[in-house]
Each structure stands twice: as C-alpha cells, then as structure tokens.
Amino acid sequence: QVQLVESGGGSVQAGGSLRLSCAASEYTYSSNCMGWFRQAPGKEREGVAAIYTGGGTTYYADSVKGRFTISQDNAKNTVYLQMDSLKPEDTAKYYCAAGAGRYCSGGLRTAVYNYWGQGTQVTVSS
C-alpha cells in the first residue's frame, strides 16, 4: 500500500509561484507513473502533469505548459510540481497520484493511477 503525502499548497497572488511536493511511502516498483491532478469546486478532476519515474518522461496539460514543471527525486521517493506565473484559474485542490508499476500512457487520465493523496489547496488571487 503506497501512501502519498502532499505539501506546499497555500495562497499566492497572480503571477506568483508555489512548489508542491509529494512524498511516497515507498516505490513498490522500480518504475511508476506519478501525476498531479487538480479539482476546483463544481468541476471534474483534471490531470495537470505527470512523470514516468523509469525514464523521466513528462506530460503536461495544455493549460499549464510553459508555467508548471514536474520533477522527481527518486532517492527521496518524492515528486515536485513547480508552479510559476500562477493565474486565478489555477485555484483548486491539488492531488498527487501514483500508478504503481504502470506506464503513464499520456499521464493525465485518472484511470492510470491506483493511489491518491489527500490533496493540498492552492488559491491564487487576482
């Protein structure tokens, strides 16, 4: 059972930056798909970014390309989401997800993942 703990959320003004962290209790498999999703009130959960830990391939939603960067530190079983040039529409609860032993297959579909964190709130004010 993989446990995921997110941290780094908070409130920031538009144009600002935040870095989210996701610490996994373990990497049961040597290669996994790790992803970030977000869900705003009244909206569906959407994929934001993903990374395949086996080779570092990354995937991004069009809405965050060029502004968000996903990265990994395999020694710490941790994935990061650097969010720059934040906009009010980025406001949401952000969730970390793990597809243990799975390829990303695009990385932005919830079906790829079998473990989820509890989420961390990001609020961007105009």
Side-chain angles (χ1 to χ4, degrees), residues 3-7 21-25 36 96 117-118:
Q3 293 183 331
L4 304 172
V5 179
E6 304 102 331
S7 61
S21 299
C22 172
S25 58
W36 286 97
C96 177
Q118 294 300 307

Side-chain angles (χ1 to χ4, degrees), residues 12-18 67-68 83-88 90 94 122 124:
V12 65
Q13 289 192 326
S17 298
L18 285 172
R67 300 188 299 121
F68 290 12
M83 305 186 294
D84 298 318
S85 302
L86 282 161
K87 304 175 181 180
D90 294 318
Y94 283 69
V122 171
V124 184

Side-chain angles (χ1 to χ4, degrees), residues 19-60:
R19 189 176 83 152
L20 305 183
S21 299
C22 172
S25 58
E26 61 180 311
Y27 278 168
T28 306
Y29 300 91
S30 60
S31 297
N32 311 275
C33 186
M34 300 295 294
W36 286 97
F37 287 73
R38 65 186 181 188
Q39 188 166 19
K43 294 189 176 181
E44 292 188 356
R45 189 169 296 191
E46 63 170 343
V48 174
I51 187 166
Y52 182 60
T53 65
T57 303
T58 57
Y59 308 84
Y60 294 96

